[in-house]
Amino acid sequence: MEAQSGDTRFVIVSNRGPVTFSRNEAGEREHSRGAGGLVTALNAVSRRRSEAVWIASAQSEEDVRVAKESLDEPYEVEGLKVVLVEHDGGAYELMYNRLANPLLWFVQHGLYDLPYAPELGDDTKRAWEEGYVPVNENFAEAVARILETSQGGEKPVILVHDYQLYMAPHALRERLGSGADDAFISLFVHIPWPETEGWRVLPSYVREGVLRSLLEADIVAFHTEGYARNFVRTAREVLGVEVDEEEGVVRPEEGREVWVRAYPISIDPEEFEDLARSDEVLQEEESVKNLPGTLLLRVDRMDLSKNIVRGFRAYDRMFERHPELREQVTFLARCQPSRGDIPEYARYAEDIQNAVDEVNEKHATGSWQPVVLSMEDNFPLSVAAYKNYDVLLVNAVRDGMNLIAKEAVVANQKNGVLILSETAGAYEELGEHALTVNPFDIDEQADALYEALTMTDEERTRRAEALEETIRANTIEEWAEAQLKDIAAYRERHG
Ligand code: F6P
């Protein structure tokens, strides 16, 4: 995707930004990378589109200082133009910790134990009205301000990302006023979209409010055809709007079309090749190489959707069945702290620690620890591990895409085997060359681990090459290009 000066004003909006700022002991400003695969992908887009402005939430105290400095003028960092938005603390807490992450995230990943949870009520309504909606409006305000300061006669393109910002299309149309019709708005949903029955768990004001807002965008995008299809059906079944399932079109009102599309997100292979050679990664690599035996790896945020606990249970079961593998393998589990203020996440972090302790107590010997749990927030260390794994476990309960599977395959130098959950979005592309697992089946995962750890070199090479080829055929470049092409086509059709 080439940068084109004088081109359409181009704004990316996401809750999590590319970097987060802090102060070091000497009082100087520092920054580190934002969490999650979405940031990696948008980073690659933003770098190629040099005029793009990336608007995201201020997360730390230092972010708030940057937010105040970047009100009208983007802050330049690592070649990106970033605007951080300061939200009201209480509103943000309600949006992030009450509405977006437990509720929408759980509904869309199917994580609720429905006979018991969720328990909805007035608190939910408050989180919506005083948290989610105002935070979305605050984002719209920031977008409008940036567009006002950069008026160039070009029609703006506003690419909104993910479930924290479902109300942004509505807020943007309202806030941009008469200019709103000129603005192209897309909303990319990076997480699964459930079938209508799953969506109906939400209270009606959320269920319908979100759908109506999304239908104020011009394109609603997903990672897989399956999620896109579910969305079209949900719109028809919940709102009763006219849809064309074949074409992926929703017609919320006379004369208006919303295109619903699937663009499987990917990575920038070059970025990972460069990273793999970087000094920071080389420094971390020694510690990875020193781990004894074959290296089994997982890299995840500590999220319930990632199925981390069942992964340890399966590893335990594998040793029960194949005790001869003891001392022959180390499981490096890179589990990044995430959303710790939400009780379900705090409990899950404890469950992970307990599951690791159990495996280690049961199988460790004097000279060998079966699982090394690393909770350090250290991206270079993850990349060092990507380079050296023999087997990568991705056994998510459900996952929009799972970019770890793509990043790790490209960086890996050992013909590593990928074990992949059939319910991860990445499965549509990579499943054929991975070992498939049902994320709920511990025995099947134990067997897959054994098969991967004992696979012949020939078979490993064949699979690893096919995986890499598949990923390189659809990089972040193609992901971005496909969207730009559709934006142009949409505009040609609808002005
Ligand atoms: O990809 C899903 C996603 O929720 C992104 O929207 C988000 O940036 C990332 O995972 C990490 O989550 P969080 O921002 O809550 O740490």
Side-chain angles (χ1 to χ4, degrees):
M1 186 162 58
E2 292 299 310
Q4 296 153 33
S5 63
D7 196 352
T8 317
R9 288 171 300 154
F10 201 88
V11 184
I12 294 171
V13 195
S14 67
N15 178 51
R16 181 70 65 172
V19 290
T20 183
F21 295 90
S22 56
R23 293 242 166 179
N24 64 18
E25 278 167 16
E28 294 150 349
R29 181 171 284 166
E30 284 185 332
H31 61 263
S32 61
R33 191 173 174 281
L38 179 149
V39 160
T40 318
L42 295 188
N43 229 322
V45 172
S46 190
R47 270 175 213 297
R48 283 172 170 73
R49 193 89 196 192
S50 62
E51 85 285 13
V53 175
W54 187 340
I55 302 185
S57 290
Q59 309 267 353
S60 66
E61 271 176 38
E62 193 59 21
D63 283 359
V64 171
R65 283 189 205 108
V66 173
K68 294 191 198 301
E69 290 165 31
S70 63
L71 271 182
D72 303 310
E73 186 67 28
Y75 188 94
E76 305 231 359
V77 56
E78 298 207 356
L80 304 168
K81 295 188 173 67
V82 178
V83 170
L84 293 181
V85 185
E86 181 183 4
H87 301 291
D88 172 82
Y92 190 79
E93 151 77 19
L94 289 173
M95 182 285 283
Y96 189 82
N97 287 329
R98 299 293 173 87
L99 210 300
N101 286 318
L103 189 56
L104 292 172
W105 181 272
F106 273 47
V107 161
Q108 293 194 233
H109 287 83
L111 297 178
Y112 280 123
D113 184 8
L114 285 179
Y116 299 100
E119 286 188 358
L120 306 173
D122 291 350
D123 282 355
T124 320
K125 190 147 208 184
R126 189 171 149 251
W128 173 255
E129 286 174 354
E130 296 175 25
Y132 195 87
V133 172
V135 165
N136 275 250
E137 286 168 352
N138 204 27
F139 265 109
E141 181 63 37
V143 173
R145 210 167 33 234
I146 282 300
L147 291 177
E148 276 155 19
T149 57
S150 67
Q151 269 172 5
E154 302 287 347
K155 293 180 174 183
V157 169
I158 307 166
L159 308 181
V160 184
H161 289 269
D162 234 352
Y163 62 98
Q164 302 91 345
L165 295 173
Y166 284 154
M167 293 308 286
H170 175 68
L172 279 165
R173 296 281 183 216
E174 294 242 295
R175 177 60 185 77
L176 295 178
S178 57
D181 291 342
D182 285 346
F184 173 90
I185 301 176
S186 77
L187 194 135
F188 205 115
V189 181
H190 290 264
I191 64 177
W193 191 277
E195 288 172 1
T196 309
E197 285 321 303
W199 190 248
R200 284 197 203 277
V201 170
L202 295 167
S204 57
Y205 51 89
V206 178
R207 194 194 306 161
E208 289 169 23
V210 165
L211 285 170
R212 284 190 212 290
S213 173
L214 293 183
L215 296 181
E216 291 191 54
D218 299 304
I219 293 185
V220 180
F222 298 89
H223 290 316
T224 71
E225 297 289 348
Y227 305 149
R229 209 170 32 244
N230 285 350
F231 176 79
V232 171
R233 290 184 186 157
T234 308
R236 185 189 64 219
E237 289 163 15
V238 173
L239 297 181
V241 290
E242 189 191 320
V243 306
D244 182 335
E245 254 189 66
E246 275 299 287
E247 293 290 315
V249 174
V250 181
R251 297 192 180 85
E253 62 196 57
E254 184 70 33
R256 232 187 86 66
E257 275 194 358
V258 181
W259 291 3
V260 182
R261 295 286 179 267
Y263 310 102
I265 199 167
S266 193
I267 57 157
D268 176 1
E270 251 174 56
E271 187 193 345
F272 281 85
E273 283 157 7
D274 291 350
L275 270 169
R277 284 191 293 263
S278 70
D279 288 344
E280 305 157 277
V281 170
L282 295 177
Q283 260 171 30
E284 298 293 346
E285 215 171 333
E286 271 323 288
S287 69
V288 177
K289 285 187 165 162
N290 284 338
L291 294 170
T294 307
L295 183 64
L296 165 63
L297 175 70
R298 76 171 309 137
V299 179
D300 292 292
R301 281 184 307 102
M302 279 198 272
D303 193 294
L304 290 85
S305 66
K306 305 292 181 185
N307 210 18
I308 300 172
V309 171
R310 280 201 194 87
F312 295 129
R313 301 254 188 274
Y315 186 58
D316 169 39
R317 189 141 318 162
M318 183 197 72
F319 286 125
E320 282 173 1
R321 292 175 172 183
H322 303 283
E324 73 280 8
L325 283 190
R326 288 195 182 130
E327 299 195 329
Q328 305 299 311
V329 46
T330 299
F331 188 170
L332 173 61
R334 295 266 309 120
C335 295
Q336 198 184 339
S338 187
R339 306 176 187 169
D341 292 334
I342 300 172
E344 287 91 336
Y345 280 79
R347 263 199 309 277
Y348 197 60
E350 282 172 20
D351 292 346
I352 289 171
Q353 184 65 63
N354 291 338
V356 169
D357 291 347
E358 247 173 63
V359 180
N360 282 342
E361 274 160 30
K362 190 160 156 191
H363 300 286
T365 63
S367 57
W368 169 71
Q369 186 182 329
V371 184
V372 173
L373 176 61
S374 148
M375 299 194 191
E376 202 187 330
D377 197 354
N378 180 341
F379 186 59
L381 176 56
S382 295
V383 179
Y386 288 169
K387 285 172 78 175
N388 288 284
Y389 71 83
D390 296 287
V391 177
L392 178 73
L393 177 63
V394 178
N395 63 331
V397 167
R398 256 187 158 198
D399 210 329
M401 171 54 75
N402 195 294
L403 280 179
I404 303 286
K406 295 189 173 182
E407 295 172 4
V409 164
V410 166
N412 185 255
Q413 299 179 347
K414 298 182 78 184
N415 289 329
V417 182
L418 173 64
I419 299 178
L420 186 57
S421 162
E422 59 191 344
T423 48
Y427 193 82
E428 268 191 13
E429 291 168 274
L430 307 182
E432 191 186 340
H433 312 298
L435 295 185
T436 304
V437 287
N438 170 335
F440 309 106
D441 189 334
I442 307 274
D443 287 306
E444 190 180 81
Q445 287 170 66
D447 289 346
L449 285 170
Y450 181 75
E451 187 182 344
L453 289 165
T454 56
M455 192 177 276
T456 62
D457 284 347
E458 204 186 349
E459 177 75 359
R460 289 169 61 94
T461 310
R462 189 183 65 72
R463 286 175 183 266
E465 285 175 357
L467 282 170
E468 191 166 343
E469 211 176 289
T470 309
I471 295 166
R472 286 182 189 277
N474 175 40
T475 68
I476 195 72
E477 194 88 25
E478 281 77 26
W479 181 71
E481 279 303 340
Q483 290 173 74
L484 291 182
K485 234 167 111 187
D486 278 354
I487 293 172
Y490 186 96
R491 288 202 133 157
E492 209 171 296
R493 169 101 58 103
H494 299 287

